């Protein structure tokens, strides 16, 4: 009996059948794995798009709508192109990538050498450039608030609900849906302490990464000044994170203004990383929109931001001190990821490269990587010369420049109290930190105006590291408040 294909004279090879089935299968898997916001855009008809835009009012704030993927990728590309341009202005065209990598490894080695050979230099430096050590009162309760921020990463509603109930909170809202310009979050209420808790999730999806990447400064005009010390209605903020904060403000403003504040409930906003940056800008927006939060109820809103990226212009960042407390853990790279800091870091790479040339240390990156944990007496440059390098860089800086964004509010920076080790001792052989101290100041402190390229710069960003180091810094402090 002949098949229909044979009768028609068409021959379909088995490989084509397999390829077709595989294509359908992987297309289906790709569709199911595609972010919801992208599916929504693909499904939208031209008529729907016209209906969405028809009747919308133009405003001086421009477009903060990130529902269109082409807009998202265009903004991300613009930011990456700007970074490339700034770095290209610093690094010579003839310098190959292998030499840049070698200078990076040499820079890390220099910092690790100083940490081992001059163990208290950073502790001394942090104290010199800050307002002083953090009081025990400032440290009280920070561990618990960091845990609240960490809970926003929970994927399962039941797990989060159990944790909150142990702290006398009832879970009101659990939203893990993310898209560019929107962050996952939860809202809970404690009727005993009369506290509303908003926990904002940090980066954990591709959508979150896109929000992070859209880091160019965007001008935004507030409804009212958010603080008596900042009379302007204009701020400049990280565009992607500002968009996420605007979304949260739109969704929570009426609830806070019409229900929680009249009932004398305090609002506590906390977050880690992307969630921390969103928490800062959300607090600012709520104070701008709700007059009571700038008047009789101004003590009813507090923001605790852990590992926030630089998100706000200089004057606005400093004016947030009455209601925002930001915490930076050791050499965490995220709170130092501003465009000026990246430029400074590449200038340091270039200086280290010249030192490597002078000393004949242009080994392969592989050889330099093996030497990262070695301790010897050979500094590629003295500590004093490195300090002078930073002083020269910052001598003519413009903190109000359009590329300059800062960590908002009162800023607590944690720093290890070092312990001397024997020469040649492997860093991984024992814990060289007995304790942590905290210093306090604002987002323009010198240690935040540079990337500190220690080996721990990524590990220090993790929530678990924040909790451990906060416990070490506040071990003699007991908090009785939410």
């Amino acid at each position: 009996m002949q098949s229909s294909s044979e009768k028609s004279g068409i021959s379909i090879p088995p490989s084509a059948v397999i390829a077709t089935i595989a294509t359908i299968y992987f297309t289906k898997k790709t569709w199911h794995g595609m972010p919801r916001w992208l599916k929504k855009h693909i499904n939208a008809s031209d008529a729907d798009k016209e209906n969405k835009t028809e009747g919308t009012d133009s405003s001086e704030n421009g477009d903060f709508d990130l529902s269109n993927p082409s807009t998202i990728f265009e903004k991300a590309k613009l930011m990456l192109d700007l970074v490339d341009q700034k770095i290209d202005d610093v690094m010579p065209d003839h310098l190959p990538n292998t030499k840049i990598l070698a200078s990076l490894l040499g820079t890390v080695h220099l910092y690790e050498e100083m940490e081992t050979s001059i163990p208290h230099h950073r502790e001394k430096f942090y104290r010199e450039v800050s307002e002083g050590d953090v009081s025990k009162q400032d440290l009280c309760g920070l561990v618990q608030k960091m845990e609240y921020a960490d809970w926003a990463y929970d994927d399962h509603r039941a797990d989060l609900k159990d944790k909150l109930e142990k702290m006398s909170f009832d879970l009101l809202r659990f939203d893990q849906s993310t898209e560019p310009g929107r962050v996952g979050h939860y809202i809970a209420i404690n009727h005993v302490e009369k506290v509303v808790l908003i926990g904002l999730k940090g980066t954990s999806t591709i959508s979150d990464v896109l929000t992070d990447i859209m880091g160019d400064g965007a001008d935004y005009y507030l409804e009212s000044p958010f603080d008596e010390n900042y009379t302007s209605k204009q701020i400049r903020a990280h565009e992607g994170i500002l968009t996420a904060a605007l979304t949260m403000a739109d969704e929570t403003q009426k609830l806070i203004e019409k229900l929680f504040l009249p009932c004398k409930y305090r609002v506590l906003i906390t977050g880690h990383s992307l969630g921390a940056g969103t928490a800062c800008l959300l607090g600012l927006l709520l104070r701008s929109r709700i007059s009571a939060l700038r008047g009789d109820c101004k003590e009813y809103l507090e923001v605790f931001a852990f590992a926030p990226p630089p998100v706000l212009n200089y004057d606005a960042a400093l004016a947030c001190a009455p209601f925002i407390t930001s915490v930076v853990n050791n050499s965490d790279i995220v709170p130092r990821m501003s465009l000026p800091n990246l430029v400074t870091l590449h200038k340091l790479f270039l200086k280290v490269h010249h030192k490597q040339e002078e000393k004949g240390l242009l080994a392969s990156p592989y050889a330099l990587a093996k030497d990262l944990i070695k301790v010897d007496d050979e500094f590629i440059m003295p500590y004093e010369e490195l300090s002078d390098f930073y002083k020269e860089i910052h001598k003519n800086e413009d903190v109000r420049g359009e590329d300059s964004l800062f960590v908002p509010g009162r800023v607590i920076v944690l720093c290890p109290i070092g312990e001397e080790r024997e020469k040649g001792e492997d860093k991984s052989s024992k814990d060289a930190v007995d304790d942590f101290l905290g210093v306090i100041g604002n987002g323009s402190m010198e240690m935040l105006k540079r990337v500190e390229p220690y080996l721990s710069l990524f590990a220090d960003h993790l929530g678990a590291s924040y909790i451990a180091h906060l416990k070490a810094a506040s071990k003699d402090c007991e908090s009785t408040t939410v």
Side-chain angles (χ1 to χ4, degrees), residues 148 151 161 164-171 188-191 195-197 268 482:
Y148 291 155
W151 293 352
K161 187 171 180 290
L164 288 167
E165 286 178 350
K166 290 176 182 177
M167 299 300 297
S168 302
F169 279 98
D170 295 322
L171 182 60
I189 188 167
N190 182 325
H191 293 290
V195 174
V196 177
L197 173 62
L268 174 63
V482 173

Side-chain angles (χ1 to χ4, degrees), residues 242-257:
L242 174 60
T243 304
L246 286 167
T247 301
M248 283 299 304
D250 290 342
E251 294 180 2
T252 59
Q253 179 183 344
K254 287 185 178 179
L255 195 63
I256 292 170
E257 186 174 18

Side-chain angles (χ1 to χ4, degrees), residues 122-136 138-139 410-415 437-442 445 447:
R122 191 148 52 120
E123 172 190 342
K124 180 182 177 183
F125 167 61
Y126 277 31
R127 282 177 160 147
E128 286 176 350
V129 301
S130 67
E131 296 171 10
D133 288 11
V134 184
S135 68
K136 289 297 180 184
D138 284 318
L139 290 170
R410 297 187 317 149
V411 182
I412 295 172
V413 183
L414 303 176
C415 174
L437 65 88
V439 297
I440 194 164
N442 58 53
M445 288 186 289
M447 83 284 276

Side-chain angles (χ1 to χ4, degrees), residues 323-363:
F323 62 98
I324 294 178
T325 298
S326 295
V327 181
V328 177
N329 178 34
N330 201 22
S331 62
D332 184 355
I333 189 172
V334 170
R336 297 173 168 91
M337 281 295 285
S338 67
L339 194 52
N341 282 4
L342 289 177
V343 171
T344 298
L345 180 63
H346 281 79
K347 288 181 179 179
L348 179 57
F349 289 164
L350 191 58
K351 184 175 181 65
V352 169
H353 169 71
H354 292 323
K355 290 290 183 180
Q356 288 172 327
E357 282 187 323
E358 291 173 9
K359 295 176 179 288
L361 298 176
L362 292 176

Side-chain angles (χ1 to χ4, degrees), residues 167-181:
M167 299 300 297
S168 302
F169 279 98
D170 295 322
L171 182 60
L172 297 181
R173 180 175 182 178
F174 176 67
D175 185 352
Q176 290 299 85
S177 60
T178 62
E179 56 190 66

Side-chain angles (χ1 to χ4, degrees), residues 27-251:
T27 301
K28 183 178 178 181
K29 294 291 285 185
T30 300
W31 175 257
H32 285 304
M34 190 179 293
R36 188 183 66 176
W37 59 271
L38 193 54
K39 287 182 186 177
K40 184 170 63 176
H41 179 78
I42 293 172
N43 284 329
S45 66
D46 292 338
D48 290 336
K49 294 175 189 174
E50 288 175 6
N51 290 335
K52 285 181 181 179
T53 57
E54 186 177 350
T56 56
D57 295 329
S58 62
S59 74
E60 57 188 348
N61 279 322
D63 183 14
F64 285 89
D65 179 15
L66 298 181
S67 60
N68 189 329
S70 62
T71 300
I72 295 165
F73 293 117
E74 180 183 350
K75 288 179 180 291
K77 183 179 183 301
L78 286 173
M79 183 61 197
L80 294 174
D81 287 346
L82 178 61
V83 172
D84 284 343
Q85 176 194 330
K86 295 289 184 180
I87 292 174
D88 287 345
D89 289 343
V90 174
M91 305 302 286
D93 293 335
H94 66 272
L95 198 63
N97 289 333
T98 53
K99 299 298 184 185
I100 297 174
L101 178 57
S103 65
L104 183 155
L105 294 172
T107 303
V108 174
H109 187 252
L110 170 64
Y111 268 77
E112 291 296 322
E113 284 284 335
M114 290 190 303
E115 186 76 352
T116 302
S117 302
I118 322 173
H120 296 282
H121 81 279
R122 191 148 52 120
E123 172 190 342
K124 180 182 177 183
F125 167 61
Y126 277 31
R127 282 177 160 147
E128 286 176 350
V129 301
S130 67
E131 296 171 10
D133 288 11
V134 184
S135 68
K136 289 297 180 184
Q137 182 180 358
D138 284 318
L139 290 170
C140 280
L142 286 180
V143 174
Q144 185 60 67
K145 291 176 177 69
M146 175 59 220
E147 289 178 343
Y148 291 155
D150 201 44
W151 293 352
Y153 288 97
D154 279 356
D155 292 324
H156 302 290
R157 183 186 183 93
D159 293 342
L160 175 60
K161 187 171 180 290
D162 288 344
K163 291 175 182 177
L164 288 167
E165 286 178 350
K166 290 176 182 177
M167 299 300 297
S168 302
F169 279 98
D170 295 322
L171 182 60
L172 297 181
R173 180 175 182 178
F174 176 67
D175 185 352
Q176 290 299 85
S177 60
T178 62
E179 56 190 66
R182 181 182 179 87
V183 296
H185 61 277
Y186 70 86
I187 301 175
I189 188 167
N190 182 325
H191 293 290
V192 177
E193 298 287 343
K194 300 190 79 170
V195 174
V196 177
L197 173 62
I198 302 176
L200 301 167
K201 184 171 69 71
T203 303
S204 60
T205 67
I206 294 297
S207 299
D208 295 332
V209 172
L210 290 171
T211 301
D212 291 325
I213 290 175
M214 289 181 285
D216 198 9
D219 290 328
Y220 183 80
Y221 294 87
L222 304 167
E223 295 182 11
S224 301
F226 68 88
D227 190 81
E228 60 186 11
N229 293 317
Y230 190 81
T231 57
S232 173
K233 291 184 180 182
Q234 181 181 353
I235 61 171
R236 188 166 180 80
H238 182 296
E239 185 173 13
I241 297 177
L242 174 60
T243 304
L246 286 167
T247 301
M248 283 299 304
D250 290 342
E251 294 180 2

